[in-house]
Amino acid sequence: MRSEELAINGGIPVREKMLPYGHQYIDEEDIRLVESVLKSDWLTQGPGVLEFEKNVAERVGAKYAVATSSGTSALHTACFAAGIEKGNEVITTPMTFVASSNCVLYRGGIPVFADIKVDTYNIDHEDIERKITKNTKAIIPVDYTGQPADLDEIKEIAEKHNLLVIEDASHALGATYKGRKVGGVSDMTVFSFHPVKLITTGEGGMVVTNNKEFYDRMKMFVTHGITKEKDKLFDYQGPWYYEMQYLGYNYRLTDVQCALGISQLKKLDWFLKRRREIVSMYNEGLKNVEEIILPFEKPDVKSSWHLYMIRLKLDKLKVSRRQVFEALRAENIGVHVHYIPVYLQPFYQKLGYKRGLCPNAERYYEEAITVPIFPAMVDEDVKDVIKAIKKVIACYRR
Ligand SMILES: *Cc1c(COP(=O)(O)O)cnc(C)c1O
């Protein structure tokens, strides 16, 4: 029968239209709120920014929040507040988007990569400890796929060696760690509001912290290092007066974007619930496929399930990850791969990072496939994905 033949070989695809791996969810309420800001006096730096900051801080259990133009600028801002400067080493994971370590380079620091664990694919705290030197200043763990890293172990190492922890929680808005909310655990926690992430503002990001000093520094950094607040000025020459005290950037988030963020945040609980439902369907539908390893969620955390990763057992398959990937794409399943280990990027290779540095991450990269997950997926979409995976694997099993 033609429908059983893989689409890549001329068979009929499981779906007619490509299902993306992630997608925003925008409703009429979002549009109405954005429209009301467009008709108001403030397009940027009006009341919406403080309101969005306050709402996110409350939701994630932190005292202070600084909205930024992206998750990347949020990471840069946090590195500034942490005092990362030329020659400082910062330990992070290679199993992440390039921004998690680029932010260290922006400050003139040196990213140091620690390998990942083989069950959660989060940074391995034992390897962190091995890579600490007298120049180490901070650790940037990433809550990969939405599952919090081993934050207690990392915190303990940081305290022992007098390091700061900047948690890259771009995947983990709404996640919990041993009953605590992600956002209230590390010295600073960074979120991204890119459209594929948990909630969106188009582009956008946020750093949250319980430390007032970090907060004050970050507030200035996102607006050129300038302050107008009287109690922070060295001098006061009159009502027009402001001071630039650091070399900052224009990393501001606009009121238009914050309106979208405020509206999106109200839907976060539903988004998280829907993602978990999809995960349950995948786990159930794929549990008997012996050629793949399903994602593992530790019992004491609650992932926000930004990504759902499957890992191929290549010894049980006749083909490579690439062929499985391309066959799934041909079935119109918009699979992806998260991530190419950062230090394998040409830019990092030129800086001198060598292949073989983090063997677990390199091996995982060869075997991983990202499967679609986003709140607007309907049950039929999930069933299509399961069907396509089973079809492709059945064809390629040894
Ligand atoms: C998305 C992402 C970022 C960057 O966020 P942007 O908002 O796209 O700048 C950083 N780190 C991780 C782990 C991400 O997934």
Side-chain angles (χ1 to χ4, degrees):
M1 229 172 71
R2 236 168 74 81
S3 70
E4 280 174 11
E5 204 178 320
L6 296 184
I8 204 169
N9 300 328
I12 297 164
V14 162
R15 293 175 63 87
E16 249 176 60
K17 249 188 83 187
M18 184 67 81
L19 180 73
Y21 85 88
H23 197 272
Q24 69 272 22
Y25 182 99
I26 302 285
D27 63 13
E28 290 304 316
E29 172 86 9
D30 294 331
I31 294 167
R32 216 168 43 74
L33 260 151
V34 169
E35 189 182 357
S36 72
V37 173
L38 288 172
K39 290 174 174 167
S40 79
D41 290 331
W42 300 91
L43 294 189
T44 188
Q45 306 311 294
V49 179
L50 286 173
E51 187 183 341
F52 184 41
E53 288 174 341
K54 183 169 151 279
N55 292 1
V56 172
E58 267 171 22
R59 179 62 179 78
V60 305
K63 274 197 196 138
Y64 309 104
V66 179
T68 62
S69 55
S70 68
T72 305
S73 57
L75 283 163
H76 188 186
T77 302
C79 284
F80 168 76
I84 310 296
E85 51 187 60
K86 196 165 164 35
N88 292 162
E89 291 174 9
V90 178
I91 301 174
T92 189
T93 169
M95 191 44 60
T96 186
F97 185 56
V98 294
S100 311
S101 59
N102 285 351
C103 60
V104 177
L105 295 174
Y106 297 157
R107 299 290 314 152
I110 302 161
V112 173
F113 295 96
D115 208 352
I116 58 171
K117 306 211 308 179
V118 293
D119 53 358
T120 61
Y121 316 122
N122 266 323
I123 194 166
D124 178 351
H125 62 89
E126 287 175 8
D127 204 35
I128 292 179
E129 194 140 31
R130 278 192 287 272
K131 295 201 164 149
I132 290 173
T133 73
K134 63 180 194 323
N135 297 322
T136 310
K137 184 93 183 197
I139 306 167
I140 304 183
V142 176
D143 301 325
Y144 177 71
T145 70
Q147 166 148 256
D150 295 331
L151 301 175
D152 277 346
E153 286 85 349
I154 292 169
K155 197 173 194 168
E156 198 179 308
I157 292 167
E159 277 167 8
K160 192 166 127 197
H161 298 273
N162 199 21
L163 312 174
L164 289 171
V165 180
I166 301 169
E167 184 182 345
D168 182 346
S170 294
H171 298 183
L173 183 67
T176 63
Y177 176 76
K178 300 185 182 174
R180 285 173 281 162
K181 290 175 188 160
V182 162
V185 183
S186 301
D187 294 302
M188 285 176 267
T189 305
V190 168
F191 299 103
S192 163
F193 307 130
H194 179 277
V196 296
K197 303 290 165 68
L198 281 303
I199 65 166
T200 191
T201 58
E203 297 284 357
M206 188 93 65
V207 191
V208 301
T209 182
N210 288 326
N211 183 312
K212 176 80 162 56
E213 214 174 296
F214 293 156
Y215 170 73
D216 286 340
R217 279 166 66 81
M218 292 195 287
K219 264 289 177 194
M220 282 194 225
F221 188 73
V222 300
T223 185
H224 309 277
I226 286 175
T227 184
K228 292 174 195 157
E229 285 178 49
K230 248 182 171 172
D231 61 328
K232 298 200 177 71
L233 298 171
F234 297 125
D235 193 10
Y236 178 73
Q237 301 175 1
W240 68 87
Y241 190 68
Y242 57 85
E243 278 175 3
M244 181 190 139
Q245 300 181 348
Y246 308 107
L247 181 59
Y249 293 75
N250 179 353
Y251 277 166
R252 297 183 301 254
L253 194 64
T254 66
D255 273 53
V256 181
Q257 293 168 300
C258 287
L260 182 54
I262 290 164
S263 181
Q264 286 267 301
L265 193 62
K266 292 182 193 157
K267 290 185 273 284
L268 177 61
D269 285 325
W270 180 78
F271 289 163
L272 293 167
K273 184 167 156 281
R274 181 63 192 149
R275 283 177 183 274
R276 292 194 85 78
E277 284 169 8
I278 294 166
V279 168
S280 300
M281 287 179 72
Y282 277 150
N283 287 347
E284 185 57 33
L286 296 170
K287 69 177 182 206
N288 295 324
V289 184
E290 283 189 12
E291 292 77 9
I292 62 181
I293 299 168
L294 298 181
F296 163 69
E297 187 181 34
K298 290 180 100 175
D300 55 358
V301 308
K302 232 173 158 190
S303 174
S304 50
W305 289 106
H306 163 56
L307 298 174
Y308 189 93
M309 305 297 303
I310 59 171
R311 182 171 190 173
L312 304 178
K313 294 181 186 166
L314 290 177
D315 57 332
K316 294 187 187 252
L317 294 167
K318 287 185 288 200
V319 297
S320 70
R321 186 266 308 272
R322 178 165 177 179
Q323 280 159 294
V324 174
F325 183 98
E326 287 181 353
L328 286 167
R329 279 276 176 96
E331 300 295 335
N332 282 328
I333 307 301
V335 286
H336 222 281
V337 174
H338 292 88
Y339 292 94
I340 305 158
V342 172
Y343 62 80
L344 294 182
Q345 294 292 347
F347 183 83
Y348 280 82
Q349 290 286 293
K350 259 192 274 172
L351 290 178
Y353 295 87
K354 294 278 183 293
R355 189 173 285 275
L357 186 60
C358 298
N360 292 345
E362 289 180 29
R363 164 127 196 240
Y364 174 61
Y365 164 62
E366 299 293 336
E367 301 171 347
I369 292 180
T370 314
V371 164
I373 185 167
F374 54 95
M377 270 176 86
V378 296
D379 290 1
E380 276 314 308
D381 297 329
V382 184
K383 286 178 194 159
D384 285 347
V385 177
I386 294 168
K387 202 165 143 194
I389 292 173
K390 286 185 160 169
K391 181 178 167 187
V392 170
I393 295 291
C395 229
Y396 287 150
R397 73 166 45 105
R398 259 190 208 285

